[in-house]
């Protein structure tokens, strides 16, 4: 009799299965944020916004649905329903209004809140590459998440001690939401070579009057930039850099292409010291040195073989002694940022509690008095009570139909459809 086949890849109990070692819910991959960049109204946003959505998906790599296909019939409920099973934590919805304004909604699933932005200006990746002399193409930069740098998200305190136009809790909420877009970096486990991109978020502080010091503009504007991080060793002449590049190229292509011709020289020192050969030697400081602000010191990366514990300890002691004597193995590298795109200028319009629907926490153009705020709180409290009452009635109906028919499967499907319809009608009524 043939032996029964056992799955060894993703089955329960297999080597790569969910019950192997650490549970799936506590693994680092499952805790990493995941996002969906969506075109709301797929055929109505236009080609420019569609390309902007693709560029934003590339910026959010690798923790995003880069091959997501939207349909005109898709609703917000379709995406929120699948966000839980797929582990999606953020929704970025781009849409275009009837007046031609491009809007962005950044929502946290499953319970919100939602930030509403108006995209005042944007530039696509192809536009930025056309404007650059040496654009950088896509490579291994998108295999790891980018580094997030945020500036001016907390406004300085006012001189006269008055209440700020933008509340402090709104600033902290916005900071937390943007920080949760990308995975956190651990200094102990994250290597420098894995950080290849950087996303810069710079908030424009509100303008204040020079005479009175009062804030004239209460807008919340964020500028977004996306860069690739490139490094190269400093203190080397152009000739040595050409030799290093040619050596790497010859190893990759198994040939001698790119190596300089030294047949007419009597000594190899002429190639390094003569400024007229190979574009200059060490005689020109401008060719080998860079600005001191762009230099960083990193430990020299060396590939070491796996040895015994005693040999590793001896090597570590030797490295420590050399570092005390001055030869610490630290090399200087020049850091340069090359813009990848896209560029976005976002203006926050309002903040809601739920996922694209709920109580408005802040609005740029609308302000309410304390009495109006209290009345709105009462209205939302009444809606919450009505929702709880509907759930209680639905639960009683489920139990009653189970007792009457005795077929729980058919009854459950009917009740689930009825419950979804009630939630959808409730959300439409709130909007």
């Amino acid at each position: 009799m043939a032996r029964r086949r056992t799955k060894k890849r993703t089955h329960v109990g297999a080597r790569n299965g969910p019950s192997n070692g650490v549970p799936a819910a506590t693994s680092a991959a499952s805790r990493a944020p995941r996002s969906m960049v969506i075109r709301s109204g797929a055929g109505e946003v236009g080609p420019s916004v569609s390309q902007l959505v693709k560029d934003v998906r590339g910026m959010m790599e690798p923790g995003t649905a880069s091959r997501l296909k939207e349909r005109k019939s898709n609703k917000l409920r379709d995406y929120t329903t699948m966000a839980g099973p797929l582990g999606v934590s953020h929704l970025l919805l781009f849409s275009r209004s009837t007046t031609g304004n491009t809007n962005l909604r950044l929502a946290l699933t499953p319970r919100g809140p939602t930030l509403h932005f108006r995209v005042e200006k944007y530039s696509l990746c192809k536009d930025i590459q056309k404007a650059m002399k040496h654009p950088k193409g896509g490579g291994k930069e998108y295999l790891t998440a980018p580094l997030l740098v945020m500036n001016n998200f907390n406004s300085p305190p006012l001189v006269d001690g008055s209440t700020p136009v933008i509340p402090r809790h709104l600033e902290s909420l916005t900071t937390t939401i943007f920080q949760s877009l990308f995975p956190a970096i651990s200094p102990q486990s994250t290597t420098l070579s894995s950080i290849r991109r950087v996303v810069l978020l710079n908030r424009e502080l509100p303008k204040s009057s020079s005479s009175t010091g009062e804030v004239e503009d209460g807008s919340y504007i964020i500028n977004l930039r996306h860069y690739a991080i490139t490094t190269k060793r400093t203190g080397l002449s152009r000739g040595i850099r050409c030799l290093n590049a040619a050596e790497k190229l010859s190893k990759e292509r198994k040939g001698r292409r790119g190596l300089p011709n030294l047949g007419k020289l009597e000594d190899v020192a002429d190639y390094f010291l003569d400024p007229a050969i190979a574009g200059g030697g060490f005689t020109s400081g401008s060719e080998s040195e860079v600005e001191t602000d762009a230099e960083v010191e990193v430990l020299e990366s060396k590939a070491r073989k796996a040895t015994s514990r005693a040999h590793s300890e001896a090597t570590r002691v030797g490295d420590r002694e050399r570092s005390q004597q001055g030869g610490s193995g630290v090399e200087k590298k020049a850091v340069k940022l090359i813009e990848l795109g896209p560029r976005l200028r976002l203006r926050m319009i309002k903040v809601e509690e739920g996922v694209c629907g709920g109580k408005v926490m802040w609005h740029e153009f609308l302000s309410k008095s304390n009495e109006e705020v209290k009345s709105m709180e009462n209205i939302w409290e009444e809606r919450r009570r009505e929702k709880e009452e509907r759930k209680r009635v639905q639960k009683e109906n489920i139990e009653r139909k189970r007792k009457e028919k005795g077929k729980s499967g058919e009854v459950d499907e009917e009740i689930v459809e009825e419950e979804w319809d009630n939630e959808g009608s409730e959300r439409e009524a709130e909007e």
Side-chain angles (χ1 to χ4, degrees):
M1 184 176 179
R3 186 173 60 180
R4 186 176 181 181
R5 175 177 173 267
T6 304
K7 294 183 179 180
K8 299 180 180 180
R9 293 183 181 179
T10 58
H11 196 62
V12 177
R15 181 176 55 186
N16 297 331
S19 62
N20 180 29
V22 182
T26 59
S27 60
S30 62
R31 294 196 304 268
R34 298 179 182 179
S35 61
M36 279 187 183
V37 186
I38 306 165
R39 295 178 300 166
S40 182
E44 302 174 357
V45 295
S48 297
V49 179
S50 300
Q51 185 62 38
L52 176 62
V53 170
K54 294 181 181 179
D55 295 342
V56 174
R57 288 176 182 174
M59 181 187 68
M60 300 296 295
E61 286 283 355
T64 187
S66 57
R67 298 182 181 180
L68 180 64
K69 301 294 183 181
E70 306 94 339
R71 296 180 180 178
K72 293 183 180 179
S73 59
N74 288 136
K75 304 297 181 182
L76 177 62
R77 171 181 156 188
D78 302 332
Y79 301 108
T80 55
T81 303
M82 296 304 300
L86 297 178
V88 176
S89 58
H90 296 76
L91 294 178
L92 289 85
L93 297 100
F94 284 88
S95 61
R96 174 172 288 180
S97 62
T98 56
T99 57
N101 295 326
T102 304
N103 301 318
L104 168 64
R105 289 175 290 176
L106 175 58
L108 269 67
T109 59
R111 302 188 181 276
T114 304
L115 306 180
H116 292 252
F117 295 96
R118 178 181 297 169
V119 183
E120 294 187 342
K121 297 179 182 179
Y122 66 90
S123 299
L124 303 177
C125 294
K126 61 180 182 180
D127 300 331
I128 295 176
Q129 292 178 359
K130 289 180 181 179
M132 298 177 63
K133 187 176 181 180
H134 300 289
K136 187 175 181 60
K140 297 182 180 180
E141 292 83 9
Y142 296 95
L143 297 179
T144 56
L147 176 68
L148 181 62
V149 179
M150 307 173 67
N151 185 35
N152 289 335
F153 269 68
N154 294 325
S155 58
L158 299 178
V159 179
D160 54 355
S162 60
T163 304
V165 179
I166 300 175
R168 299 293 183 184
H169 68 274
L170 176 63
E171 294 180 347
S172 60
L173 176 64
T174 308
T175 304
T176 305
I177 292 176
F178 277 104
Q179 285 178 348
S180 63
L181 272 176
F182 303 100
I185 294 178
S186 175
Q188 291 78 15
S189 60
T190 305
T191 58
L192 291 177
S193 59
S194 63
I195 303 176
R196 307 189 177 202
R197 293 182 295 138
V198 57
V199 174
L200 174 62
L201 297 176
N202 181 35
R203 178 199 168 192
E204 297 182 5
L205 293 178
K207 299 179 181 179
S208 58
S209 177
S210 58
S211 58
T212 60
E214 296 180 356
V215 177
E216 297 179 351
D217 187 11
S219 59
Y220 197 101
I221 299 176
I222 298 175
N223 293 313
L224 185 145
R225 297 290 187 272
H226 183 213
Y227 299 94
I229 304 175
T230 59
T231 59
K232 67 176 181 179
R233 297 182 63 181
T234 60
L236 301 178
S237 66
R238 185 178 300 176
I240 297 179
R241 291 201 302 267
C242 291
L243 283 178
N244 292 336
E247 181 183 3
K248 294 180 180 178
L249 189 63
S250 62
K251 289 181 179 179
E252 293 176 357
R253 300 186 179 181
K254 304 295 182 181
R256 296 176 58 86
R257 184 180 179 183
L259 292 174
N261 186 9
L262 306 181
K264 298 181 180 180
L265 301 179
E266 297 181 357
D267 192 357
V268 69
D270 298 338
Y271 176 77
F272 297 108
L273 300 178
D274 193 352
I277 303 175
F282 280 102
T283 56
S284 177
S286 61
E287 296 174 355
S288 59
E289 299 296 332
V290 295
E291 297 180 1
T292 55
D293 295 341
E295 284 188 359
V296 294
E297 293 183 354
V298 296
L299 292 177
E300 187 176 0
S301 58
K302 296 181 180 180
R304 297 183 178 181
K305 297 181 179 179
T307 56
S308 61
R309 182 179 299 179
H311 189 273
S312 301
E313 185 65 25
T315 305
R316 193 179 297 108
V317 172
D319 294 343
R320 191 181 301 111
E321 292 178 355
R322 285 193 298 270
S323 63
Q324 294 176 357
Q325 296 175 2
S328 58
V330 176
E331 57 182 359
K332 291 185 178 181
K333 288 189 176 183
V335 180
K336 185 178 180 181
L337 300 181
I338 301 178
E339 189 168 3
L340 297 174
R343 292 182 184 179
L344 291 172
R345 178 183 170 89
L346 306 175
R347 182 177 186 139
M348 186 183 295
I349 302 300
K350 66 176 179 178
V351 181
E352 293 179 335
E353 279 192 352
V355 179
C356 301
K359 184 172 64 175
V360 178
M361 302 172 58
W362 178 83
H363 202 290
E364 181 183 2
F365 305 111
L366 299 179
S367 59
K368 296 181 179 180
S369 60
N370 296 332
E371 292 76 9
E372 293 176 344
V373 171
K374 290 181 180 180
S375 63
M376 289 299 299
E377 290 286 346
N378 297 332
I379 292 174
W380 282 105
E381 182 66 22
E382 184 66 24
R383 290 182 181 179
R384 186 184 64 81
R385 293 174 184 174
E386 292 177 356
K387 186 176 181 179
E388 293 179 355
E389 181 66 20
R390 285 195 301 269
K391 288 184 177 181
R392 185 187 63 80
V393 173
Q394 289 174 0
K395 188 175 181 181
E396 292 178 356
N397 292 337
I398 291 176
E399 297 296 334
R400 179 176 54 82
K401 291 183 179 181
R402 281 179 180 175
K403 293 178 180 179
E404 291 178 356
K405 296 184 178 181
K407 298 179 180 180
S408 59
E410 298 177 358
V411 176
D412 289 344
E413 292 178 0
E414 294 176 359
I415 295 302
V416 169
E417 292 178 358
E418 182 182 355
E419 184 176 357
W420 276 113
D421 294 339
N422 291 337
E423 290 184 359
S425 60
E426 177 188 356
R427 180 170 296 175
E428 292 176 358
E430 291 176 357
E431 294 178 354

